Amino acid sequence: MCTGMEMMASNGNQDWAMMGSRCTLAMSDEVGFVHPSQFISLVEKADTPSPSFKTVPQSVDGVVESKASEVHPTDMVFWCRDHKLGISSDVLHALYIAAKHAFMAALDGYKRISSISASKDGFGDEIMSSCSSSFLHHESEVMKHSRALLLLSSDFGTAWNSRKLVVHMKRHFPMFEDELFLSALVLSYAPKSERAWSHRRWVIKMVAGKFSNLQDIVEKESQLVERIAERSKMNYNAWNHRSWLISYLSGGQVLDEWKKCREWAGLHVADNSCFHYRTRLMLRMLEDSWYNDDSNACHNCNAGLYEMWKEELDWVERLIKRYRGREALWLYRRFLSVCWIKHFANRDVSCYSDHQSSSIYGLDIFMDNELRLLRSCTTIPSFEFEDYQADAKFSSMYILWLTKHMPESHRIEFQKKLQPEELETLLNNVCPEKIFLWDYLRTQCEGLKIEMAKGMSYMYDRFEVVPAPLISPQKPSNAPKLETIVEGGCERLDVLQKRLLCLLPVVVSFASYLYINGYAIA
């Protein structure tokens, strides 16, 4: 049995075996679903006539088949040219039913032959040869029909798992390459398919440690993600896959990735997934610097990280001022700021001073710079511009968040420079629903002031208020006078009276009970 897609590909001299082959043009192969009215424009744009086919589903003994014939573009079902396959949306359901039927039949036969092969000890050589040829036939059928099914339904988990089963048994590198090619073909029409991305990660895990060209595969994976992200905006699954690849990158590749994706991030400032990827890259470089045993190399690495972090902060600041109201930039700056405070601002900066382009950028300068950025972003020329209002909101939220992560030794000073009255007024105007954050911050800061005041009072009581070493009649002592306390007895008397009043109803009730019972007995 052959599905309509397979017949179309074979008539167009591109059968599924060739489409699964490893070639340099593999990444340009695409599959798409086309409305019937769009086939005319596809044919008109082509330089030379392209083969056009119409499939007529037929049923023979309960099995759905397809026959192909040349038709007019208005009646086309498939369009294939320049490694691009277009499928009419009118026949998707019929194709899916046919492909699923063929795949499930092939999978059942494959499982049946596998169970027979598992108990092959009692069979002769002739029967074993027949079982082996039948096993290979069913294996080929499973791979063929699962390929057709996945090109129609990207999230058919049974089809993906059946391919994993066959490939895992073979463990041939060409088969791993075929799986990468097929999943890339599926991603061409379903770029956010988590099943396809997960299948690619499984293939890379299988290749890692067994073949020598893993680094080339990982580099091509990054290029694939960037191309797909260019066509599919806000593609979390694609960027999450690229972040997962960082663990397989070498130190030099991590630095190259960080440099290469900066231009893309600067052109897609609203895509938070891209900035999350940069976060993972920078954390990897920071982690590598911690585990570096060579002291000289570690010193140079720290100096390079210091300059890199400062350069990244300046770059994000320019983007914030250029593109107003982009929350992704402010979220990324939070990560940069908290890492700067923890790993660079609080350390001895003398170790970075011998770097040629290094400039001392301590915590005080950092705080002043962030306050200048806040004031530049909270200046709203007119409330008609929503981007400026959003920028004021994000900058206010950022500065409140930053205040919480400041060291306690600098938090009070930072709050004084913050001009809280102006910020509170701005929050009331721009985002009144977030004013509770300011109340919480004010409570925290007041609590910190009270704790500091208690600490100072404790220090004063401990070191300054000391009793006089000698007490004389002429000079009064600093110690308090002892006086007779007479209130204690009165308090105890009051408590006793209250207890007696509580017990009085009980005594009266008990006496009444005895009196009545005694009268009844008498």
Side-chain angles (χ1 to χ4, degrees):
M1 198 276 292
C2 175
T3 65
M5 290 196 305
E6 290 173 323
M7 182 172 289
M8 188 301 175
S10 60
N11 287 325
N13 296 325
Q14 287 192 7
D15 57 3
W16 290 114
M18 290 185 63
M19 292 189 69
S21 63
R22 299 160 303 280
C23 58
T24 56
L25 297 177
M27 300 314 301
S28 63
D29 292 355
E30 295 181 9
V31 176
F33 305 129
V34 185
H35 192 270
S37 60
Q38 296 177 316
F39 281 108
I40 299 177
S41 61
L42 290 175
V43 174
E44 291 176 352
K45 290 180 181 179
D47 296 335
T48 58
S50 176
S52 306
F53 301 94
K54 177 181 180 180
T55 59
V56 183
Q58 296 181 353
S59 178
V60 180
D61 297 332
V63 179
V64 179
E65 293 186 351
S66 304
K67 292 186 177 180
S69 60
E70 295 188 10
V71 295
H72 191 268
T74 55
D75 298 326
M76 287 175 59
V77 174
F78 296 102
W79 183 89
C80 184
R81 182 180 179 81
D82 298 332
H83 297 272
K84 306 293 188 293
L85 175 62
I87 307 172
S88 175
S89 57
D90 285 349
V91 297
L92 282 180
H93 181 70
L95 287 175
Y96 172 77
I97 296 300
K100 181 181 178 181
H101 179 87
F103 166 72
M104 297 307 295
L107 184 60
D108 290 340
Y110 177 77
K111 291 180 178 179
R112 184 173 57 256
I113 295 297
S114 298
S115 62
I116 295 175
S117 300
S119 57
K120 62 184 179 180
D121 296 336
F123 296 94
D125 295 339
E126 184 175 346
I127 299 178
M128 281 302 304
S129 177
S130 176
C131 288
S132 177
S133 60
S134 179
F135 180 81
L136 294 176
H137 169 72
H138 283 84
E139 183 182 90
S140 176
E141 288 293 301
V142 167
M143 297 297 284
K144 179 175 65 174
H145 294 303
S146 64
R147 182 187 301 114
L149 181 59
L150 289 172
L151 291 178
L152 296 170
S153 177
S154 62
D155 292 326
F156 202 102
T158 306
W160 288 115
N161 293 334
S162 65
R163 298 186 69 85
K164 287 185 177 73
L165 180 63
V166 174
V167 174
H168 185 267
M169 292 178 63
K170 297 291 184 180
R171 298 195 179 188
H172 296 158
F173 184 73
M175 297 189 73
F176 289 126
E177 284 188 310
D178 287 342
E179 295 306 299
L180 291 175
F181 173 78
L182 174 63
S183 57
L185 201 58
V186 171
L187 289 170
S188 66
Y189 80 89
K192 296 184 179 181
S193 173
E194 179 57 28
R195 292 276 188 177
W197 290 114
S198 177
H199 192 71
R200 296 186 75 85
R201 288 192 286 272
W202 176 83
V203 172
I204 294 174
K205 287 180 181 178
M206 296 297 294
V207 172
K210 300 180 180 64
F211 302 96
S212 59
N213 50 355
L214 175 64
Q215 297 301 322
D216 296 335
I217 294 177
V218 172
E219 186 173 354
K220 291 178 181 178
E221 286 292 293
S222 295
Q223 297 173 2
L224 171 67
V225 170
E226 190 164 332
R227 281 193 295 269
I228 290 179
E230 188 67 36
R231 293 180 298 164
S232 175
K233 307 301 181 184
M234 308 294 180
N235 194 333
Y236 168 79
N237 292 330
W239 286 104
N240 182 58
H241 177 74
R242 196 175 184 181
S243 299
W244 177 83
L245 293 171
I246 294 177
S247 60
Y248 292 94
L249 296 176
S250 62
Q253 286 178 319
V254 171
L255 184 59
D256 292 339
E257 283 288 313
W258 179 76
K259 292 178 179 178
K260 287 190 297 185
C261 73
R262 168 178 280 194
E263 181 179 359
W264 198 95
L267 297 175
H268 302 79
V269 292
D271 197 335
N272 187 53
S273 298
C274 176
F275 289 99
H276 178 70
Y277 176 64
R278 292 186 67 82
T279 298
R280 297 288 297 273
L281 289 172
M282 299 188 74
L283 286 176
R284 167 67 189 278
M285 289 186 283
L286 192 62
E287 182 180 341
D288 290 344
S289 69
W290 294 341
Y291 295 102
N292 199 331
D293 296 331
D294 189 356
S295 59
N296 294 328
C298 182
H299 176 79
N300 295 330
C301 181
N302 289 335
L305 278 175
Y306 178 87
E307 288 296 322
M308 183 186 70
W309 227 275
K310 183 178 181 299
E311 180 184 353
E312 194 78 357
L313 281 168
D314 295 339
W315 175 67
V316 173
E317 182 177 348
R318 292 195 298 271
L319 291 179
I320 288 175
K321 293 178 178 179
R322 186 182 305 166
Y323 303 101
R324 295 287 184 171
R326 299 298 184 268
E327 188 177 9
L329 297 175
W330 288 104
L331 294 177
Y332 183 54
R333 191 168 185 84
R334 289 190 183 191
F335 158 75
L336 296 174
S337 299
V338 73
C339 287
W340 180 268
I341 293 173
K342 289 182 178 179
H343 303 293
F344 298 101
N346 289 333
R347 293 189 177 183
D348 184 13
V349 296
S350 61
C351 59
Y352 309 125
S353 59
D354 58 343
H355 201 267
Q356 293 181 357
S357 60
S358 177
S359 59
I360 303 303
Y361 195 59
L363 186 57
D364 294 334
I365 301 178
F366 172 76
M367 291 192 304
D368 294 339
N369 183 74
E370 297 307 294
L371 290 174
R372 284 195 298 269
L373 177 62
L374 171 68
R375 294 186 179 98
S376 66
C377 294
T378 52
T379 303
I380 305 177
S382 174
F383 277 94
E384 296 178 358
F385 299 102
E386 295 183 358
D387 290 343
Y388 282 94
Q389 295 185 42
D391 211 33
K393 173 183 176 180
F394 297 144
S395 61
S396 301
M397 296 300 101
Y398 165 75
I399 210 68
L400 293 178
W401 176 89
L402 187 63
T403 304
K404 183 179 178 181
H405 288 79
M406 278 286 178
E408 292 186 0
S409 57
H410 293 75
R411 193 178 300 174
I412 299 299
E413 180 184 357
F414 185 71
Q415 187 195 15
K416 291 179 180 178
K417 296 180 180 179
L418 190 57
Q419 297 180 359
E421 294 80 9
E422 296 181 5
L423 184 59
E424 187 175 7
T425 303
L426 177 66
L427 285 174
N428 280 322
N429 296 331
V430 178
C431 50
E433 71 279 2
K434 299 289 186 179
I435 194 62
F436 71 94
L437 295 176
W438 173 251
D439 295 336
Y440 171 77
L441 177 66
R442 181 168 50 190
T443 303
Q444 292 291 104
C445 293
E446 289 177 356
L448 183 61
K449 288 181 179 179
I450 292 174
E451 290 181 3
M452 294 182 66
K454 287 182 178 179
M456 293 300 295
S457 176
Y458 172 76
M459 296 292 292
Y460 177 79
D461 293 339
R462 182 175 181 181
F463 295 105
E464 294 187 7
V465 182
V466 181
L470 180 62
I471 300 176
S472 62
Q474 291 79 15
K475 185 177 180 180
S477 171
N478 289 334
K481 294 182 179 180
L482 299 178
E483 298 178 358
T484 304
I485 300 176
V486 296
E487 291 84 356
C490 298
E491 291 179 357
R492 286 194 294 270
L493 183 60
D494 293 339
V495 173
L496 182 59
Q497 291 176 354
K498 290 180 180 179
R499 289 180 180 178
L500 290 175
L501 290 175
C502 292
L503 291 174
L504 182 60
V506 179
V507 174
V508 173
S509 299
F510 182 71
S512 301
Y513 172 78
L514 292 177
Y515 175 76
I516 294 172
N517 287 341
Y519 179 77
I521 292 172

